[in-house]
C-alpha cells in the first residue's frame, strides 16, 4: 500500500472493468476459456460430423474412437456432438435467465432503494420471501408446477436468483440518491425514471455485473441439477444435465457417458467463476491496489 | 419381551454349537420403484407390489411356484373343487385350520366370499373388470364356497388364483382397518406384513403357522431403490441378496461374468405396445396410423433392449398366452411407405404430436428409440416426461395421442383383449380400463370368445380379433420384455423359476439363505 494518491484518468465504467480484468491473469484465462466454449457452441454444426439426435443402436455405449470422438451414449448418439449442441441449450438457458434476473432484479432493487417507504418494504419483503426458500426448491417448484420446457426453466432460474440482484442494487441506490449529482438532477426537474435509469443505474452496474458473472455459473448448474433429476428439457434435445442423467444409469460399466458432459459443465462453471472473481477483485475498492 | 428373547438367544448362542440353526435368516432385496404403492392386492396393480402380494397372500388355487402356466394350477386355500356341467357353478372346499396373520383368526368361507365380492366391486377394487361375470359368491358352510357365473369365462381358476383379485384377505381386518388396510395387509401367506417405511422399504416376517410349514427364512426386507446403478452397487457390496435387474443384454452379461450372482431371466414377457389414440387428430385417419406402423423398426428395438431379454411380437396378445395369434399379418418396417401414407393423408411435411411418457427407464428408453424411428419417417414426437404415477393418471385421462404401455396379465387372450381393445374399456369412460386407442373393432369376437365352449372356435375368434385390431392399427405391438432378477448364489429359491405372475422371484416357505 502506498500513501500516494493519484487521480485516475476518466474512463467509462465498462472500460474500467475491462482494464482491471486484464490485470488479473486468472480471469483472463477464464475469459479466453469461456470465449472458446461459447465459440464451440455457436459453431457446433461445423465441429461435428454427427447429428446429435441420430441414434445408432448397434454402436451404443462405445468408447472413444476416430469416428466418435468422445464415444456414444446409450442410444448410440455421438457424445461429442451432443455436448456441443447441449452447450448451446445450457448456455442459452444460463445466460438468458441471468440476464433477465439481472435486469429485472436491479430494476426492482433500484426502485426500492430510490423510492423507499412502502414501495421498498413491499418489494424487499417479496424478495425476502423468495430468499427464504433454499435456492433449488423455488426452481423445482416452478418447473414441477408449470412443466419442464425451455422458457419455464428460464423462468424458474430467473426467479431463483432475481432477489440477489435486487438486494445488491438496492443498497448503493440508497447511498447514491443522497448524492449531489442526483439532487442536482432532481433540481433540474428530471423525472424519477430518468434519474434511476440514467444517473443511478450506471453507478450500480459494476457490482451487478460481477454478481451476474458469478450467478451465470450458478444458473448453468441449476439447469444441470434440474435436468439431472428429470425436470429438464424434454428429450431428445441434449443439455449437459440431461446427458449426465442418461449416462448415470450406466455409470458402472460406461462411466464416460456421464463424465464428459460433466467435465463440460465443470469447464463452463470454472471459466465463469474465474471471470467473476477477477471482476470482483477489480471492482472491490478494498482489494484495489 | 424382545429383550428377553434376545437375551435367551444370546445365552443359547454362547452355550450351543448350533449357531447356524439359530442365526436369523434375513433376506434383503431391492425392486425398482420409489416407494410401495398400496399393499392391497385388490387395489394396486403396480409391478413392485405384486411380489409382496405373492408372499403375503394366498388364493383358492395357485400357480405352482416358478410357473405361470394354466396347467400348473394347484390347490392352495381350497383343497378340492368341482364344477357343474355347463361350467357356470363352481364349488370349492376349503382347507381347514388356516390362520390369518396377526391373530385375525381362522380363514373361513366368509373371508373368501368377502374377498371375492370386494375384488368384484369397482368402488373398492382396481381389478373388478375380471369379475363382471360373477353372479354370486356364497358360503354353503364354513368351509365350502360356491361361485355362480352369469356367463362362461375363459378361466375361472385364473381369477381365483393367487393373482390380484384372487388373493384372499381377512374380512375382519379389511373391515376394521378400512382405508388403512393397504398399509397393513393381513393374509395367510408364508410371510406376514411387519413394517412399511414409506419410500424406503417394506418388511415381512415369517409366518410360523403357515399351513405348508414354517418358512426357513425369518424375514424379508424389500427395499425401494429406483436407480439401477444404486441397486447394482448395493448388491455387489453384499448389502442386498437379490435385486431387480436391468433388462438389457449387457447388464445380464456383466452380472453373470462377476461370478457372484445368479441371473434369472423368466416369464412373463411384458408386451410393450404403442397404443395410438384414434380419437385424437391426426390419428383419426387410418393412413396416419398405418404410417406409424410402417415407421416402427422392431428389430432395432429388440437390439436396443438385448436379445437375451427381449423378443419381437406383432400380435396384440403376448406370446405364450392362450389364444396368442402367431400368424397375424402386419405392416412391415418401411419408412418410405410411411412418408407416402402421410402425404396421402394430407401431411406431406410430416406431423408433430405430443406424447406423455413416464420417467421410468423401462418405457422411457424404448420411447426415445421410437421417437428417433418415427422422426425418420416425418412423425415428430414431442415428449412430455412425467413422474410414473402422474403419467398413469394422465394416460387414463385420455390426454396423450400415443401411449407406450407395458403389461403382463393373466395369460389368457381374453384379459388382454378385453382390457386393451374392448370398447367398454376405453379410457375416460365409466367402465374404463386401459383401452387407450379407442379401439372398438373386435368387440363381437372378444365377447363371443369369452363364453365359447368349443376350444377351436374360441381360438379362431381370438385370432380374428387380433387380426382386426392389427388391420385397424389400434396399436402397434412391439416387443416383449422378460423379467430379470439377480440373486446371490446363497439364495436358493427352492423351486425352478420359469415364470412368475408376481413379476419377481417369490420367496416361499422352502426358500433358503446360506450363510
Amino acid at each position: 500500500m502506498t500513501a500516494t494518491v493519484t487521480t485516475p484518468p476518466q474512463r467509462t465504467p465498462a472500460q474500467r472493468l475491462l482494464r482491471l480484468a486484464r490485470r488479473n491473469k486468472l480471469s483472463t484465462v477464464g475469459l479466453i476459456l469461456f470465449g472458446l466454449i461459447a465459440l464451440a457452441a455457436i459453431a457446433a454444426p461445423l465441429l461435428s460430423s454427427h447429428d446429435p439426435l441420430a441414434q445408432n443402436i448397434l454402436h451404443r455405449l462405445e468408447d472413444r474412437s476416430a469416428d466418435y470422438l468422445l464415444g456414444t451414449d446409450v442410444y448410440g448418439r455421438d457424445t461429442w456432438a451432443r455436448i456441443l449442441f447441449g452447450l448451446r441449450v445450457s448456455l442459452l438457458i444460463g445466460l438468458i435467465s441471468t440476464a433477465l434476473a439481472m435486469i429485472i432484479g436491479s430494476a426492482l432493487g433500484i426502485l426500492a432503494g430510490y423510492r423507499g417507504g412502502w414501495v421498498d418494504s413491499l418489494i424487499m419483503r417479496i424478495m425476502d420471501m423468495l430468499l427464504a426458500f433454499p435456492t433449488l426448491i423455488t426452481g423445482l417448484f416452478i418447473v414441477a408446477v408449470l412443466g419442464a420446457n425451455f422458457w419455464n426453466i428460464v423462468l424458474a432460474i430467473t426467479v431463483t436468483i432475481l432477489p440477489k440482484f435486487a438486494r445488491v442494487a438496492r443498497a448503493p441506490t440508497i447511498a447514491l440518491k443522497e448524492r449531489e449529482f442526483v439532487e442536482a438532477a432532481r433540481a433540474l426537474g428530471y423525472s424519477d425514471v430518468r434519474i434511476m435509469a440514467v444517473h443511478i443505474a450506471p453507478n450500480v452496474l459494476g457490482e451487478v455485473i460481477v454478481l451476474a458473472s458469478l450467478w451465470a455459473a450458478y444458473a448453468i448448474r441449476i439447469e444441470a441439477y434440474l435436468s439431472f433429476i428429470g425436470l429438464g428439457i424434454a428429450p431428445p434435445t441434449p443439455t449437459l444435465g440431461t446427458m449426465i442423467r442418461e449416462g448415470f444409469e450406466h455409470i458402472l460399466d460406461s462411466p464416460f457417458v456421464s463424465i464428459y458432459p460433466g467435465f463440460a459443465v465443470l469447464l463452463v462453471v470454472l471459466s465463469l467463476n474465474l471471470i467473476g472473481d477477477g471482476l470482483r477483485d477489480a471492482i472491490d475498492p478494498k482489494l484495489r491496489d | 419381551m424382545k429383550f428377553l428373547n434376545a437375551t435367551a438367544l444370546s445365552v443359547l448362542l454362547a452355550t450351543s454349537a448350533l449357531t447356524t440353526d439359530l442365526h436369523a435368516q434375513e433376506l434383503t432385496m431391492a425392486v425398482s420403484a420409489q416407494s410401495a404403492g398400496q399393499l392391497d392386492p385388490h387395489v394396486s396393480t403396480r409391478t413392485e407390489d405384486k411380489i409382496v402380494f405373492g408372499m403375503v397372500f394366498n388364493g383358492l388355487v395357485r400357480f405352482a411356484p416358478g410357473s405361470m402356466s394354466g396347467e400348473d394350477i394347484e390347490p392352495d386355500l381350497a383343497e378340492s373343487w368341482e364344477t357343474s356341467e355347463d361350467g357356470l357353478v363352481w364349488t370349492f372346499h376349503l382347507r381347514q385350520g388356516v390362520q390369518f396373520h396377526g391373530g385375525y383368526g381362522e380363514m373361513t368361507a366368509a373371508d373368501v366370499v368377502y374377498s371375492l365380492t370386494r375384488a368384484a366391486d369397482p368402488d373398492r377394487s382396481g381389478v373388478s373388470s375380471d369379475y363382471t361375470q360373477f353372479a354370486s359368491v356364497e358360503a354353503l358352510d364354513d368351509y365350502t364356497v360356491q361361485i355362480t357365473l352369469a356367463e362362461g369365462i375363459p378361466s375361472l381358476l385364473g381369477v381365483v388364483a393367487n393373482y390380484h383379485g384372487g388373493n384372499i384377505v381377512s374380512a375382519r381386518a379389511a373391515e376394521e382397518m378400512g382405508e388403512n388396510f393397504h398399509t397393513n395387509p393381513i393374509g395367510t401367506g408364508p410371510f406376514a406384513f411387519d413394517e412399511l417405511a414409506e419410500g424406503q422399504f417394506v418388511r415381512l416376517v415369517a409366518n410360523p403357522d403357515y399351513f405348508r410349514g414354517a418358512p426357513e427364512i425369518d424375514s424379508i426386507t424389500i427395499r425401494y431403490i429406483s436407480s439401477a446403478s444404486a441397486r447394482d452397487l448395493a448388491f455387489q457390496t453384499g448389502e442386498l441378496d437379490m435385486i431387480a435387474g436391468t433388462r438389457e443384454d449387457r447388464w445380464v452379461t456383466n452380472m453373470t461374468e462377476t461370478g457372484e450372482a445368479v441371473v434369472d431371466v423368466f416369464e412373463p414377457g411384458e408386451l410393450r405396445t404403442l397404443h395410438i389414440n384414434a380419437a385424437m387428430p391426426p390419428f383419426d385417419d387410418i393412413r396416419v396410423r398405418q404410417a406409424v406402423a410402417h415407421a416402427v423398426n422392431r428389430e432395432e428395438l429388440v437390439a436396443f433392449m438385448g436379445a437375451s431379454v427381449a423378443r419381437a411380437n406383432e400380435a396384440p396378445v403376448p406370446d405364450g398366452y392362450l389364444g396368442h395369434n402367431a400368424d397375424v399379418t402386419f405392416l412391415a418396417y418401411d419408412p418410405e411407405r410411411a412418408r407416402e401414407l402421410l402425404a396421402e393423408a394430407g401431411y406431406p411435411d410430416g406431423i408433430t404430436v405430443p406424447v406423455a411418457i413416464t420417467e421410468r427407464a423401462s418405457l422411457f428408453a424404448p420411447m426415445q428409440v421410437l421417437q428417433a424411428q418415427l422422426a425418420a419417417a416425418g412423425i415428430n414426437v414431442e415428449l412430455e416426461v412425467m413422474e410414473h404415477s402422474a403419467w398413469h393418471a394422465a394416460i387414463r385421462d385420455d390426454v396423450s395421442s400415443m401411449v407406450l404401455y407395458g403389461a403382463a396379465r393373466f395369460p389368457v387372450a381374453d384379459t388382454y383383449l378385453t382390457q386393451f381393445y374392448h370398447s367398454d374399456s376405453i379410457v375416460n369412460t365409466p367402465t374404463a380400463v386401459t383401452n387407450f386407442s379407442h379401439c372398438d373393432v373386435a368387440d363381437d369376437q372378444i365377447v363371443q370368445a369369452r363364453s365359447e365352449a368349443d376350444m377351436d372356435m374360441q381360438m379362431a375368434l381370438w385370432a380374428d380379433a387380433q387380426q382386426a385390431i392389427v388391420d385397424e392399427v389400434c396399436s402397434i405391438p412391439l416387443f416383449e420384455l422378460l423379467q430379470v432378477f439377480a440373486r446371490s448364489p446363497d439364495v436358493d429359491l427352492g423351486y425352478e423359476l420359469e415364470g412368475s405372475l408376481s413379476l419377481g422371484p417369490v420367496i416361499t416357505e422352502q426358500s433358503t439363505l446360506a450363510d
Side-chain angles (χ1 to χ4, degrees):
Chain A
M1 276 289 239
T2 56
T4 49
V5 179
T6 52
T7 338
Q10 279 302 313
R11 288 194 178 88
T12 65
Q15 277 177 326
R16 204 166 64 226
L17 280 177
L18 214 66
R19 197 179 73 88
L20 289 167
R22 255 206 314 267
R23 277 200 217 148
N24 187 323
K25 290 276 163 15
L26 267 180
S27 66
T28 316
V29 172
L31 205 60
I32 293 172
L33 187 58
F34 186 74
L36 285 177
I37 293 171
L39 261 178
I42 295 166
L46 303 175
L47 294 175
S48 159
S49 51
H50 287 278
D51 176 352
L53 305 185
Q55 301 186 351
N56 194 342
I57 302 297
L58 297 178
H59 291 280
R60 60 198 298 248
L61 295 174
E62 274 182 12
D63 208 346
R64 291 187 303 274
S65 64
D67 195 18
Y68 298 109
L69 271 178
L70 297 181
T72 57
D73 74 357
V74 62
Y75 301 99
R77 299 177 295 204
D78 183 35
T79 303
W80 170 241
R82 285 180 72 75
I83 287 182
L84 291 177
F85 282 87
L87 268 174
R88 284 182 160 188
V89 185
S90 295
L91 285 181
L92 268 184
I93 290 184
L95 298 183
I96 292 180
S97 50
T98 313
L100 279 178
M102 183 173 98
I103 294 167
I104 303 171
S106 327
L108 286 173
I110 292 174
L111 182 68
Y114 186 77
R115 276 285 165 81
W118 67 268
V119 178
D120 187 21
S121 301
L122 181 72
I123 293 177
M124 294 323 287
R125 287 307 79 72
I126 292 175
M127 294 300 135
D128 286 347
M129 256 163 62
L130 287 174
L131 279 173
F133 293 103
T135 31
L136 201 54
I137 302 289
T138 330
L140 265 179
F141 179 73
I142 294 174
V143 176
V145 169
L146 297 180
N149 63 40
F150 186 91
W151 288 109
N152 286 347
I153 293 174
V154 167
L155 176 74
I157 300 175
T158 304
V159 172
T160 306
I161 62 181
L162 185 141
K164 331 260 177 191
F165 287 96
R167 281 188 146 189
V168 167
R170 175 177 171 269
T173 306
I174 292 174
L176 283 168
K177 76 174 176 186
E178 307 297 337
R179 296 272 293 274
E180 295 83 356
F181 72 95
V182 176
E183 275 175 19
R186 217 179 284 139
L188 282 171
Y190 290 153
S191 71
D192 284 353
V193 175
R194 178 172 168 160
I195 293 172
M196 283 190 275
V198 180
H199 300 282
I200 294 184
N203 288 294
V204 177
L205 194 69
E207 285 181 54
V208 168
I209 284 184
V210 173
L211 196 66
S213 64
L214 292 171
W215 284 103
Y218 188 76
I220 286 164
R221 259 165 50 215
I222 301 185
E223 188 280 322
Y225 290 153
L226 287 174
S227 303
F228 184 73
I229 58 176
L231 288 171
I233 290 179
T237 312
T239 77
L240 298 176
T242 329
M243 292 177 69
I244 299 175
R245 172 189 165 89
E246 281 174 355
F248 196 66
E249 281 294 306
H250 300 270
I251 194 84
L252 292 181
D253 55 309
S254 319
F256 48 84
V257 182
S258 279
I259 288 177
Y260 295 141
F263 195 66
V265 175
L266 180 102
L267 285 183
V268 174
V269 172
L270 180 71
S271 67
L272 283 170
N273 274 329
L274 287 179
I275 296 174
D277 277 351
L279 286 176
R280 192 181 54 202
D281 292 353
I283 284 192
D284 193 337
K286 286 187 290 267
L287 294 175
R288 234 180 254 172
D289 53 354
Chain B
M1 192 60 204
K2 266 193 182 144
F3 170 71
L4 273 182
N5 276 345
T7 318
L9 194 69
S10 52
V11 169
L12 273 171
L13 274 174
T15 54
S16 128
L18 300 169
T19 45
T20 47
D21 282 340
L22 290 164
H23 199 81
Q25 292 217 312
E26 291 172 356
L27 185 140
T28 310
M29 66 166 88
V31 294
S32 174
Q34 283 174 347
S35 70
Q38 293 172 306
L39 298 178
D40 183 332
H42 300 159
V43 176
S44 174
T45 56
R46 287 168 66 153
T47 308
E48 58 271 21
D49 295 336
K50 294 186 194 209
I51 192 165
V52 179
F53 302 151
M55 301 192 267
V56 173
F57 293 98
N58 295 100
L60 287 178
V61 297
R62 70 166 184 176
F63 293 89
S67 165
M68 49 163 278
S69 159
E71 289 154 24
D72 291 329
I73 285 183
E74 59 183 30
D76 203 12
L77 292 177
E79 283 179 314
S80 62
W81 55 89
E82 58 247 17
T83 167
S84 66
E85 284 280 306
D86 56 5
L88 293 181
V89 180
W90 292 70
T91 311
F92 290 88
H93 303 284
L94 304 184
R95 193 183 293 267
Q96 301 192 5
V98 176
Q99 295 294 326
F100 276 113
H101 306 145
Y104 276 92
E106 193 188 0
M107 188 276 311
T108 64
D111 296 297
V112 176
V113 172
Y114 177 83
S115 297
L116 292 175
T117 316
R118 186 173 184 260
D121 177 1
D123 292 337
R124 288 183 289 172
S125 160
V127 291
S128 60
S129 59
D130 289 347
Y131 300 89
T132 45
Q133 300 304 330
F134 272 43
S136 71
V137 185
E138 291 161 288
L140 299 185
D141 59 50
D142 269 1
Y143 302 104
T144 316
V145 174
Q146 190 173 66
I147 300 172
T148 312
L149 299 171
E151 264 184 78
I153 56 175
S155 172
L156 178 102
L157 290 181
V159 297
V160 297
N162 55 341
Y163 180 68
H164 282 312
N167 285 310
I168 303 303
V169 304
S170 159
R172 205 179 105 209
E175 277 304 296
E176 275 178 18
M177 289 190 249
E179 285 281 296
N180 295 328
F181 188 75
H182 66 75
T183 52
N184 198 5
I186 301 289
T188 50
F191 293 91
F193 173 84
D194 179 42
E195 186 188 355
L196 171 67
E198 195 57 51
Q200 295 178 55
F201 64 84
V202 58
R203 181 165 17 247
L204 310 177
V205 291
N207 169 12
D209 304 323
Y210 185 51
F211 63 84
R212 285 193 180 89
E216 298 278 329
I217 291 174
D218 299 308
S219 81
I220 302 171
T221 306
I222 301 171
R223 289 176 53 187
Y224 298 102
I225 306 178
S226 50
S227 156
S229 37
R231 284 198 305 274
D232 293 356
L233 266 179
F235 180 73
Q236 275 158 14
T237 57
E239 199 183 316
L240 299 169
D241 303 303
M242 204 187 257
I243 52 169
T246 302
R247 295 189 260 188
E248 279 183 31
D249 262 355
R250 46 190 298 122
W251 189 89
V252 173
T253 318
N254 289 348
M255 198 46 95
T256 315
E257 272 172 4
T258 63
E260 283 159 25
V262 181
V263 176
D264 293 308
V265 179
F266 52 96
E267 303 281 339
E270 274 175 61
L271 179 59
R272 295 283 185 269
T273 305
L274 186 65
H275 297 270
I276 307 180
N277 192 337
M280 205 176 271
F283 294 123
D284 48 349
D285 187 331
I286 188 169
R287 288 171 297 190
V288 181
R289 301 203 297 275
Q290 284 166 341
V292 177
H294 278 305
V296 166
N297 182 351
R298 287 189 182 82
E299 266 176 48
E300 195 179 70
L301 280 164
V302 170
F304 175 66
M305 304 315 291
S308 66
V309 295
R311 58 181 177 225
N313 181 22
E314 295 82 22
V317 171
D319 198 356
Y321 282 37
L322 184 69
H324 162 74
N325 180 356
D327 304 319
V328 77
T329 319
F330 62 98
L331 301 176
Y333 173 57
D334 186 354
E336 284 307 308
R337 180 80 193 116
R339 281 190 178 278
E340 283 170 31
L341 281 162
L342 280 183
E344 277 174 38
Y347 304 101
D349 302 326
I351 53 171
T352 301
V353 289
V355 171
I357 185 71
T358 166
E359 61 183 355
R360 209 170 270 190
S362 59
L363 288 169
F364 189 33
M367 188 69 229
Q368 289 189 62
V369 176
L370 278 171
Q371 186 182 35
Q373 293 179 356
L374 295 178
I379 301 159
N380 300 304
V381 171
E382 278 177 355
L383 291 182
E384 195 184 332
V385 188
M386 298 176 157
E387 194 271 323
H388 194 63
S389 42
W391 170 77
H392 266 290
I395 56 175
R396 281 168 178 74
D397 254 355
D398 204 13
V399 294
S400 188
S401 62
M402 290 198 244
V403 176
L404 179 65
Y405 201 83
R409 293 283 176 268
F410 182 70
V412 170
D414 181 61
T415 48
Y416 228 89
L417 291 173
T418 305
Q419 295 182 11
F420 289 101
Y421 302 105
H422 191 281
S423 60
D424 281 351
S425 309
I426 292 175
V427 289
N428 225 0
T429 62
T431 52
V433 193
T434 43
N435 182 345
F436 304 113
S437 57
H438 294 249
C439 194
D440 58 1
V441 291
D443 284 11
D444 293 344
Q445 294 96 314
I446 296 172
V447 173
Q448 277 178 41
R450 202 177 288 154
S451 50
E452 177 59 58
D454 177 26
M455 184 86 169
D456 291 339
M457 194 59 208
Q458 191 179 41
M459 298 299 273
L461 283 164
W462 277 334
D464 244 26
Q466 289 170 68
Q467 188 63 57
I469 292 162
V470 171
D471 289 345
E472 186 69 16
V473 205
C474 292
S475 70
I476 303 160
L478 301 169
F479 60 91
E480 284 164 17
L481 208 46
L482 296 167
Q483 313 296 320
V484 180
F485 264 76
R487 61 185 152 95
S488 141
D490 293 342
V491 179
D492 181 1
L493 295 174
Y495 58 87
E496 199 67 42
L497 180 59
E498 283 170 2
S500 164
L501 280 174
S502 302
L503 306 185
V506 167
I507 302 297
T508 71
E509 72 285 356
Q510 291 177 345
S511 309
T512 55
L513 182 62
D515 283 316

